[in-house]
Amino acid sequence: MRLFVGLGNPGAKYARNRHNIGFMAVDEIARRHGFAPWRRRFQGETSEGTLGTERVILLKPTTYMNDSGRSVQEAASFFKIAMGDVTVFHDELELPPGKVRVKIGGGGIAGHNGLRSISAHIGNDYRRVRLGIGHPGVKELVHGHVLSDFAKADNDWVTALCEAVAEHAGLVAKGTDATFANRVHLAMQAKGFLTKDENGKE
């Protein structure tokens, strides 16, 4: 069994924020693969289904980003899911818009309060699917950048990215991270959102 966690803040006010792209990604996974209706539990919302041969629990913590770890810990404990079978989908400032990287453990929290909370509750050796949202250029603008909605001009690549992540999510469930990142990259490249000199590997 796998636990896929999408990070974001609950409520309509935050729904289209850059910080909420993790929610958007797991919503699309649930939709595309016919997962069960969302249920409120574990201080969040869950949906269950299968990706290939793997049973997957999708989780959207509703604790607000800074306390995401409480929800993740509750769900992982209930289902007895090991840290290595937890995957977190989150926004990544240090990647260009539409770019994806997969990373397991190590550092790289880079000021992301959702990741900090999860690491504090379950440890650091979980998988992160880093969804690039771009950096505003200076540190002082970061807070406003991540808590602002995507611009209308961003809608096409955001939709394409969530669709590509959902389409190839079974590769994450299998643990074939490099293949997943490459397939997403190729899908984004085919739609003209990434240039040919980039690659999808970590």
Side-chain angles (χ1 to χ4, degrees):
M1 186 186 296
R2 306 285 187 263
L3 179 63
F4 280 12
V5 182
L7 291 187
N9 286 307
K13 173 183 175 183
Y14 300 102
R16 292 297 298 172
N17 280 188
R18 292 180 178 90
H19 223 16
N20 271 43
I21 196 169
F23 274 13
M24 297 174 200
V26 296
D27 278 338
E28 182 61 19
I29 291 171
R31 188 196 68 78
R32 177 173 289 248
H33 297 282
F35 275 48
W38 292 93
R39 298 173 53 193
R40 295 191 65 85
R41 55 181 178 165
F42 311 126
Q43 301 180 68
E45 297 180 358
T46 65
S47 176
E48 299 183 37
T50 57
L51 294 173
T53 60
E54 298 290 343
R55 184 178 172 211
V56 177
I57 311 296
L58 303 178
L59 172 67
K60 296 187 294 183
T62 54
T63 54
Y64 289 96
M65 186 71 80
N66 293 1
D67 279 331
S68 300
R70 291 192 288 122
S71 175
V72 175
Q73 184 180 43
E74 279 193 28
S77 297
F78 180 85
F79 290 108
K80 297 180 172 58
I81 296 174
M83 198 186 325
D85 292 327
V86 175
T87 298
V88 179
F89 295 78
H90 67 91
D91 56 301
E92 178 55 70
L93 284 162
E94 303 304 326
L95 290 176
K99 196 73 184 279
V100 171
R101 288 281 192 270
V102 182
K103 180 186 175 97
I104 298 177
I109 289 173
H112 196 294
N113 290 330
L115 297 180
R116 180 179 290 115
S117 176
I118 293 170
S119 293
H121 281 83
I122 70 167
N124 210 31
D125 293 329
Y126 54 89
R127 179 181 284 101
R128 306 105 190 265
V129 176
R130 304 160 64 203
L131 306 170
I133 61 167
H135 197 287
V138 293
K139 186 177 180 181
E140 290 73 22
L141 297 178
V142 163
H143 183 75
H145 180 69
V146 298
L147 290 178
S148 294
D149 286 357
F150 283 108
K152 285 185 179 178
D154 294 327
N155 286 342
D156 287 348
W157 73 256
V158 172
T159 298
L161 179 60
C162 291
E163 289 176 349
V165 166
E167 181 180 353
H168 300 294
L171 295 168
V172 179
K174 286 200 307 183
T176 51
D177 299 339
T179 304
F180 164 78
N182 193 47
R183 294 276 176 84
V184 172
H185 168 79
L186 290 174
M188 295 298 285
Q189 184 179 293
K191 293 184 178 181
F193 296 117
L194 293 175
T195 58
K196 291 184 181 296
D197 61 349
E198 297 177 275
N199 61 68
K201 296 179 182 178
E202 176 62 29

